[in-house]
Amino acid sequence: MNIFRLAGDVSHLVAIIILFMKIWRSKSCAGISGKSQVLFALVFTTRYLDLFTSLISIYNTVMKVVFLSLAYATVYLIYMRFRSTFDSESDSFRVEFLLVPVAGLSFLENYAFAPQEILWTFSVYLESVAILPQLFMITKTGEAESITTHYLFFLGLYRALYLANWVWRYHTEGFFDQIAVVSGVVQTIFYCDFFYLYITRVLRGSGKMSLPMPI
């Protein structure tokens, strides 16, 4: 554990809590992509299959349980509790265009051709693109509420901090996880334009962040 990973975990947790509390307090999931949240729930499920078979640390176990619980609770709020506020027409990204390539790649590029290893690899690849339905939804509607952009900011910050974590581990431990690093770089790239808009618009006091409408 190093400061970059710890800060990354905290940023990730803050992002998920922000989203959950936004939906719970407003009793609305307007502007939130249910498809992205289902993909993130799938990421945690396939990654944390070792939850009941191995104990790395108390911290690791607690974080896994928290992430899984919040992920499925968020999906429940979107598709069950506040379903009437869900904008299914705007949440129209074709997730099969993500799932099929990711599944195929996880069979082709992994560290061991074993079920749990393939599923872990699948989770890493899927996490790198799971935010795309949300970004697509924001682009389609043309704007995002500030609370939603805060969620995306902390989610992107989590990935950026994890990149710093991998650089630190490479220099201090000689550790290099090619699959995780490449996937993390891809995911961080998706946030680059968003980071610029967040800093130049949201942090300057605008209630909503407006984006160019797709042609």
Side-chain angles (χ1 to χ4, degrees), residues 172-191:
T172 60
E173 306 171 21
F175 176 82
F176 182 76
D177 187 330
Q178 181 177 332
I179 291 176
V181 170
V182 172
S183 298
V185 169
V186 169
Q187 185 174 0
T188 304
I189 290 173
F190 287 139
Y191 287 95

Side-chain angles (χ1 to χ4, degrees), residues 29-209:
C29 53
I32 304 300
S33 169
K35 291 183 178 181
S36 271
Q37 297 312 307
V38 169
L39 292 179
F40 280 123
L42 183 59
V43 166
F44 295 138
T45 301
T46 53
R47 181 173 301 173
Y48 299 151
L49 291 174
D50 63 343
L51 183 61
F52 302 106
T53 61
S54 61
L55 176 64
I56 298 175
S57 67
I58 298 298
Y59 168 84
N60 183 271
T61 299
V62 169
M63 293 298 279
K64 288 178 179 179
V65 171
V66 169
F67 284 138
L68 278 167
S69 299
L70 286 175
Y72 279 98
T74 300
V75 170
Y76 167 76
L77 292 183
I78 294 173
Y79 287 102
M80 299 293 291
R81 185 77 180 259
F82 305 123
R83 185 176 181 177
S84 61
T85 66
F86 175 55
D87 185 3
S88 59
E89 291 186 5
S90 296
D91 193 17
S92 57
F93 191 93
R94 300 284 296 276
V95 294
E96 60 267 30
F97 291 154
L98 301 178
L99 290 172
V100 172
V102 164
L105 188 60
S106 63
F107 276 94
L108 296 173
E109 292 292 335
N110 53 67
Y111 293 129
F113 200 75
Q116 189 165 323
E117 185 65 30
I118 291 173
L119 288 171
W120 177 86
T121 305
F122 172 83
S123 76
V124 174
Y125 292 149
L126 182 60
E127 185 180 20
S128 69
V129 296
I131 197 61
L132 288 181
Q134 179 67 66
L135 297 179
F136 177 80
M137 186 176 186
I138 292 176
T139 302
K140 187 173 182 179
T141 58
E143 63 181 18
E145 294 181 3
S146 60
I147 194 68
T148 305
T149 60
H150 295 332
Y151 158 71
L152 290 172
F153 173 78
F154 278 102
L155 203 60
L157 180 62
Y158 142 65
R159 297 313 305 175
L161 287 168
Y162 256 62
L163 287 179
N165 161 65
W166 292 319
V167 171
W168 176 267
R169 292 192 65 184
Y170 178 74
H171 284 288
T172 60
E173 306 171 21
F175 176 82
F176 182 76
D177 187 330
Q178 181 177 332
I179 291 176
V181 170
V182 172
S183 298
V185 169
V186 169
Q187 185 174 0
T188 304
I189 290 173
F190 287 139
Y191 287 95
C192 287
D193 286 344
F194 170 81
F195 279 147
Y196 172 77
L197 292 172
Y198 181 86
I199 293 172
T200 59
R201 298 185 185 182
V202 177
L203 295 185
R204 290 183 178 179
S206 175
K208 293 184 178 181
M209 184 177 72

